[in-house]
């Protein structure tokens, strides 16, 4: 028997397939209420433009976000007032803040995850480290390894600047490692902060206000491994992974690093591009479910979809004719945390796990995990609930 769960009450993982063995998350201490955001944000950056205030208030309502967590705080802005000054070359200051914050959140999420796993930190053989929020040599993967006390022979992989689909890319890499190295246990980390992109609003950069109303900070940690031991409790099988990019769409999500930090531009056609291509992508994943895939309908699945914003979720729901409850975990993660880039998919997976646990054996067996990002890149997983 695996810990706390009788064999009669759970599905059996496919031999040799990677599974999620534990999951943890962490956030900075500064909590941002969307209800109070406009007044506080504009006061801290000393902006009294009424048109900007009206636009931000509108965005705060349409994003559906209620709470977020941020490294950026009143104390940070008092220490680094130049961060709120238009045109200031502040990349050095931003990296000073972000590099430490990203590793600290990753460390805290790892501790939560390892506690749930209930095995020794020395049993971690590989580390996959994902972030679009820090930049240095050596990278945060090394600092985290030292802080956690991982073996100096732990095999490390760093995935930088992938954006919102980075978590699913990390999951795909972790799956390949786990399945090709028998007995391995992979610690997958995602950690993100908006410090690099924080800037005062400018009418020439309308997307900055979207970022102020939508994005948050945090970290997630997972233990991935195949062929669980008696002491482990796998809850999700990573059955099949797929990545594809849409040719000719490199400019739809455009991010640039400069002396002022990182800036983004999103094409207005992003939701439509995703909508036009997502059905075929999903069908490719579902086909890998095996002999029963022909009868498997999209509404028979559980869903974990990275919520770039409400428009993407709404378009996907309409295009795929999904029942409203199918994307409820994705919508609720957006409400609770905002868009936390690569982390968000794992906050959703945690909510999916809790929902499936409530349903017991009557819950959906198969599901899809999806994320979209620069490229336009689609990352997807066919998963199986255990």
């Amino acid at each position: 028997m695996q810990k706390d769960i009788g064999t009669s009450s759970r599905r059996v993982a496919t031999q040799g397939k990677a599974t999620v063995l534990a999951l943890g998350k962490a956030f900075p201490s500064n909590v941002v209420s969307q209800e109070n955001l406009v007044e506080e944000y504009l006061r801290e950056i000393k902006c009294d433009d009424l048109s900007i205030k009206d636009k931000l208030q509108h965005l705060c309502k349409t994003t559906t976000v209620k709470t977020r967590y941020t490294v950026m705080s009143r104390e940070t802005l008092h220490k680094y007032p130049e961060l709120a000054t238009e045109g200031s070359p502040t990349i050095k200051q931003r990296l000073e803040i972000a590099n430490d914050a990203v590793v600290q959140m990753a460390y805290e999420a790892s501790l939560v995850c390892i506690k749930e796993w209930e095995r020794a930190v020395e049993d971690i053989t590989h580390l996959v480290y994902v972030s679009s929020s820090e930049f240095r040599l050596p990278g945060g993967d090394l600092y985290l390894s030292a802080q956690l006390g991982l073996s100096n022979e732990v095999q490390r992989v760093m995935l930088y600047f992938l954006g919102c689909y980075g978590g699913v890319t990390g999951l795909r890499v972790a799956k390949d490692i786990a399945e090709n190295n028998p007995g391995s246990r992979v610690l997958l980390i995602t950690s993100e902060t908006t410090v690099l992109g924080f800037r005062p609003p400018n009418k020439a950069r309308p997307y900055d206000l979207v970022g102020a109303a939508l994005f948050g900070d945090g970290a997630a940690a997972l233990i991935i491994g195949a062929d669980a031991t008696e002491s482990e409790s796998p809850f999700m099988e990573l059955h099949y992974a797929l990545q594809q990019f849409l040719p000719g769409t490199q400019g739809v999500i455009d991010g640039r690093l400069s002396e002022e930090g990182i800036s983004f531009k999103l094409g207005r056609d992003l939701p439509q591009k995703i909508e036009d291509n997502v059905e075929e992508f999903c069908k490719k994943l579902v086909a890998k479910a095996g002999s029963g895939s022909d009868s498997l309908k999209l509404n028979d699945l559980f869903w974990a979809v990275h919520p770039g914003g409400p428009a993407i979720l709404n378009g996907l729901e309409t295009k795929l004719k999904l029942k409203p409850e199918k994307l409820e975990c994705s919508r609720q993660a957006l409400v609770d945390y905002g868009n936390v880039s690569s982390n968000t998919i794992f906050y959703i997976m945690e909510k999916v796990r809790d929902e499936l646990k409530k349903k017991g054996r009557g819950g959906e067996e198969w599901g899809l995990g999806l994320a979209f990002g620069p490229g336009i890149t689609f990352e997807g997983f066919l998963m199986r609930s255990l």
Side-chain angles (χ1 to χ4, degrees):
M1 291 174 62
Q2 292 169 323
K3 66 176 182 184
D4 300 333
I5 302 176
T7 53
S8 61
S9 65
R10 66 180 304 142
R11 301 182 182 98
V12 178
T14 306
Q15 187 173 4
K17 286 285 186 184
T19 58
V20 182
L21 301 169
L23 190 156
K25 61 184 188 293
F27 302 96
S29 58
N30 189 49
V31 184
V32 177
S33 166
Q34 203 81 334
E35 189 177 353
N36 304 321
L37 169 71
V38 176
E39 296 294 339
E40 293 178 1
Y41 172 72
L42 296 180
R43 182 175 63 247
E44 291 302 326
I45 61 172
K46 299 177 174 60
C47 175
D48 55 7
D49 188 313
L50 290 178
S51 66
I52 287 177
K53 181 178 180 179
D54 290 343
K55 176 70 172 174
L56 187 55
Q57 284 177 328
H58 173 71
L59 286 169
C60 283
K61 293 176 182 177
T62 58
T63 60
T64 72
V65 178
K66 297 295 184 187
T67 54
R68 288 173 293 157
Y69 300 81
T70 62
V71 171
M72 187 65 72
S73 64
R74 180 178 301 172
E75 292 73 23
T76 308
L77 284 172
H78 286 175
K79 184 176 180 181
Y80 301 96
E82 60 272 29
L83 297 180
T85 304
E86 181 70 34
S88 295
T90 51
I91 189 64
K92 179 177 181 291
Q93 295 93 317
R94 293 171 190 274
L95 288 174
E96 279 179 8
I97 302 165
N99 287 343
D100 289 344
V102 165
V103 171
Q104 182 60 32
M105 291 188 293
Y107 175 71
E108 292 171 9
S110 297
L111 294 182
V112 174
C113 181
I114 292 167
K115 182 178 180 181
E116 180 181 293
W117 182 39
E118 293 186 0
R119 284 184 59 178
V121 69
E122 292 82 7
D123 292 341
I124 294 170
T125 59
H126 296 73
L127 171 66
V128 177
Y129 185 94
V130 181
S131 183
S132 298
S133 304
E134 64 154 272
F135 189 78
R136 57 178 162 176
L137 298 174
D141 62 319
L142 189 95
Y143 289 97
L144 178 63
S145 297
Q147 224 173 316
L148 286 173
L150 301 183
S151 164
N152 67 342
E153 294 183 353
V154 68
Q155 305 296 290
R156 309 185 327 267
V157 176
M158 235 179 6
L159 298 171
Y160 265 9
F161 288 97
L162 299 179
C164 290
Y165 69 84
V168 187
T169 303
L171 200 60
R172 176 166 52 83
V173 172
K175 168 183 166 65
D176 286 347
I177 292 171
E179 292 178 356
N180 287 285
N181 296 271
S184 62
R185 290 296 180 263
V186 186
L187 174 61
L188 168 61
I189 289 292
T190 57
S191 190
E192 307 286 6
T193 175
T194 53
V195 167
L196 293 187
F198 179 89
R199 61 186 58 213
N202 186 312
K203 291 178 180 178
R205 299 190 310 267
Y207 186 67
D208 287 356
L209 286 179
V210 178
L214 180 64
F215 288 99
D217 301 352
L222 292 83
I223 298 288
I224 309 296
D227 303 324
T229 66
E230 289 185 357
S231 67
E232 294 173 318
S233 290
F235 64 88
M236 197 75 74
E237 179 179 298
L238 305 174
H239 196 77
Y240 181 77
L242 181 64
Q243 183 197 69
Q244 74 173 47
F245 69 91
L246 306 183
T249 63
Q250 294 93 323
V252 177
I253 303 175
D254 185 66
R256 302 293 171 97
L257 193 61
S258 72
E259 293 87 350
E260 296 177 54
I262 195 165
S263 59
F264 289 97
K265 292 180 181 177
L266 291 190
R268 291 184 178 274
D269 56 345
L270 174 60
Q272 191 62 51
K273 294 283 188 187
I274 293 173
E275 211 175 307
D276 291 345
N277 292 275
V278 71
E279 187 171 12
E280 181 186 354
F281 186 74
C282 291
K283 286 179 178 177
K284 289 178 182 176
L285 286 166
V286 173
K288 297 297 180 178
S291 57
S293 62
D294 290 344
S295 60
L296 205 56
K297 306 300 181 186
L298 295 182
N299 274 303
D300 297 331
L301 309 172
F302 62 84
W303 290 79
V305 180
H306 173 82
I312 290 175
L313 293 178
N314 293 342
L316 193 145
E317 182 177 283
T318 301
K319 179 69 175 181
L320 301 180
K321 298 181 175 63
L322 296 178
K323 297 174 182 176
E325 64 267 22
K326 290 297 175 178
L327 297 182
E328 182 55 32
C329 290
S330 298
R331 294 187 189 280
Q332 194 56 50
L334 186 62
V335 169
D336 293 343
Y337 311 114
N339 180 339
V340 201
S341 191
S342 65
N343 301 300
T344 320
I345 190 70
F346 301 126
Y347 303 159
I348 298 164
M349 281 179 64
E350 183 181 53
K351 291 181 181 293
V352 168
R353 175 178 68 172
D354 294 344
E355 285 301 310
L356 290 172
K357 189 174 181 180
K358 290 177 190 174
K359 295 178 181 179
R361 287 301 295 266
E364 300 92 333
E365 178 175 3
W366 294 97
L368 294 183
L370 303 175
F372 317 100
I376 298 170
T377 299
F378 283 39
E379 281 274 13
F381 256 95
L382 176 65
M383 302 181 289
R384 187 169 159 257
S385 170
L386 303 174

